[in-house]
Amino acid sequence: MTTVHFDVSMSLDGFITGHGEGVGNPLGDDAGRLHDWMFGAKTGADADVLDELYARTGAILMGRRMFDVGEESWGDPPPFHMPVFVLTHKAREPLPRRGGTTYVFVTDGIEAGLDQAKAAAGEKDVGIWGGAKIMRQYLKAGLLDEMQIHLVPVLIGDGVRLFEDLGPGRIELERTRSIQTLGATHLRFRVAKRSK
Amino acid sequence: MTTVHFDVSMSLDGFITGHGEGVGNPLGDDAGRLHDWMFGAKTGADADVLDELYARTGAILMGRRMFDVGEESWGDPPPFHMPVFVLTHKAREPLPRRGGTTYVFVTDGIEAGLDQAKAAAGEKDVGIWGGAKIMRQYLKAGLLDEMQIHLVPVLIGDGVRLFEDLGPGRIELERTRSIQTLGATHLRFRVAKRSK
């Protein structure tokens, strides 16, 4: 069965991008630090975590702002090699790229986007790849099955926080896996239930 | 050599108390959830983490508000069994309690408080036991050597955040230990350095 998940690097103080994130600076100042485990100080275990993520994911969902901010730097072929559904208010023709990535623009909301992504993913999983707002929307709507947080041992003090404005009630998680590497604590959680 | 550390339970969304924390409700609504690993679903490994904390700590520092909010519920004998230095603006005679706890009131700032606590701790360590503001003050002043975060798999959405208003520059940490239990991921970090 298709699992809906997100997967994100987060500082111990809860930020997933650095200060000043925007077009031309998609991760924000200093946010390279959040991705060192992926690009810099990568160990074999880090590479395995990343390979597994790409292998399990059959379709990606992202917000329009993340698309606008990232598209140029992703280039052609983009690094996804699978269909990418972009949630937007403005209808637009699909944009095929080399290497298996097609950007498909969805204008009828997060549930419709998820249905399309699930159909495209087949036996594989759907990944909500950002930004923070879209990830929160799926979490708050009860549509998220799982999350993996790559917790990075740094306090960056500013940027975009992943977990805020979650609304009333607590959300119980179950930690299903933990992998320690030099650069991160890779924590996987199942979303259990929302109380109240 | 004496190590200065803090040790705190934190939800995955960064809160160390629940909503509505105050006198008569020292942990806030729902914050029992943050301490389940300590009181409820405790495993042998959780108990070891807690025993080790008490064994290594020779003196405690806390803020005046935490003292005011907690004193009644701690009772007599309080659970500390060691000297507790309370940072306050109002001079007050030391308050001896049964079982080895004496509350000592320090009015000349965080460095003076630390000096007194270090002298009292002898060969053991000094623990900054809260609240959030005092823990941040020691961290920001570069006086903290180590922190242990008991990361609890829950999103509580509201309460007191530990890591905010940290000021400019990032603070690098080095994860020195990680223990997984059912109720928490016990992560220990050394404070490495502040950049910029």
Side-chain angles (χ1 to χ4, degrees):
Chain A
M1 214 190 85
T2 294
T3 294
V4 181
H5 68 271
F6 65 64
D7 199 282
V8 66
S9 296
M10 185 173 94
S11 64
L12 184 64
D13 54 343
F15 295 104
I16 63 168
T17 76
H19 176 74
E21 168 267 3
V23 176
N25 189 17
L27 299 175
D29 301 342
D30 221 21
R33 180 64 191 85
L34 294 182
H35 300 89
D36 265 1
W37 70 269
M38 217 184 265
F39 301 119
K42 184 158 74 172
T43 66
D46 292 313
D48 290 348
V49 166
L50 204 57
D51 289 348
E52 176 193 57
L53 170 66
Y54 274 88
R56 71 182 287 199
T57 306
I60 293 167
L61 276 161
M62 68 173 65
R64 201 262 314 155
R65 184 157 191 284
M66 179 172 172
F67 174 76
D68 285 350
V69 165
E71 193 204 353
E72 192 180 317
S73 56
W74 296 325
D76 189 12
F80 307 113
H81 310 289
M82 65 185 94
V84 175
F85 295 86
V86 180
L87 299 162
T88 176
H89 293 291
K90 209 167 128 185
R92 184 171 164 183
E93 288 298 303
L95 190 60
R97 294 295 195 202
R98 288 184 292 160
T101 300
T102 296
Y103 297 117
V104 180
F105 301 88
V106 180
T107 56
D108 43 359
I110 65 168
E111 296 199 33
L114 183 55
D115 288 344
Q116 289 188 52
K118 277 184 173 171
E123 299 288 298
K124 291 190 172 185
D125 295 336
V126 172
I128 320 286
W129 282 28
K133 198 175 154 189
I134 295 290
M135 293 156 93
R136 281 198 295 266
Q137 282 180 357
Y138 281 99
L139 175 63
K140 289 165 75 169
L143 297 170
L144 194 79
D145 300 309
E146 210 183 276
M147 59 178 88
Q148 184 161 249
I149 306 287
H150 312 286
L151 193 70
V152 179
V154 68
L155 302 169
I156 65 173
D158 196 8
V160 173
R161 264 197 219 277
L162 176 56
F163 296 119
E164 55 185 7
D165 305 321
L166 295 180
R170 69 177 186 228
I171 299 173
E172 285 289 338
L173 308 172
E174 180 194 350
R175 196 197 56 239
T176 54
R177 195 176 73 173
S178 169
I179 297 173
Q180 307 295 327
T181 66
L182 187 66
T185 304
H186 305 284
L187 295 165
R188 187 181 283 180
F189 301 95
R190 194 177 64 77
V191 181
K193 66 173 195 320
R194 177 146 214 159
S195 69
K196 284 185 203 166
Chain B
M1 214 191 88
T2 294
T3 294
V4 181
H5 67 271
F6 65 64
D7 197 283
V8 66
S9 296
M10 185 175 93
S11 65
L12 185 63
D13 53 346
F15 296 104
I16 62 169
T17 78
H19 177 74
E21 168 266 3
V23 177
N25 189 17
L27 298 175
D29 302 341
D30 221 22
R33 180 65 191 86
L34 295 182
H35 300 89
D36 265 2
W37 70 269
M38 219 184 265
F39 302 118
K42 183 158 74 171
T43 66
D46 292 313
D48 290 347
V49 165
L50 206 56
D51 289 347
E52 176 193 57
L53 171 64
Y54 275 87
R56 71 183 287 200
T57 306
I60 293 168
L61 276 161
M62 67 172 66
R64 202 260 317 154
R65 184 157 192 283
M66 179 173 173
F67 175 76
D68 286 349
V69 164
E71 192 204 353
E72 193 181 315
S73 55
W74 296 325
D76 189 12
F80 307 113
H81 309 290
M82 64 184 93
V84 175
F85 294 87
V86 180
L87 299 162
T88 176
H89 293 293
K90 209 167 128 184
R92 186 172 165 184
E93 289 297 302
L95 191 59
R97 293 296 194 203
R98 287 185 292 161
T101 299
T102 296
Y103 298 117
V104 180
F105 301 88
V106 180
T107 56
D108 43 358
I110 65 170
E111 296 198 35
L114 183 56
D115 288 343
Q116 289 189 51
K118 277 184 173 171
E123 297 289 298
K124 292 190 170 186
D125 294 337
V126 172
I128 319 287
W129 282 28
K133 197 175 153 190
I134 295 291
M135 293 156 95
R136 280 197 295 267
Q137 282 181 357
Y138 281 99
L139 175 62
K140 288 164 77 168
L143 297 170
L144 195 79
D145 299 311
E146 212 182 275
M147 57 177 89
Q148 184 161 250
I149 306 288
H150 312 285
L151 194 71
V152 179
V154 67
L155 302 169
I156 66 174
D158 196 8
V160 173
R161 269 212 163 94
L162 176 56
F163 295 119
E164 53 186 9
D165 305 321
L166 295 181
R170 70 180 186 228
I171 299 173
E172 285 289 338
L173 308 172
E174 180 194 350
R175 196 196 57 241
T176 53
R177 195 176 74 173
S178 169
I179 296 173
Q180 307 295 326
T181 67
L182 188 66
T185 305
H186 304 284
L187 294 166
R188 188 181 283 179
F189 300 95
R190 195 175 63 77
V191 180
K193 65 173 197 315
R194 177 145 216 160
S195 69
K196 281 183 206 167

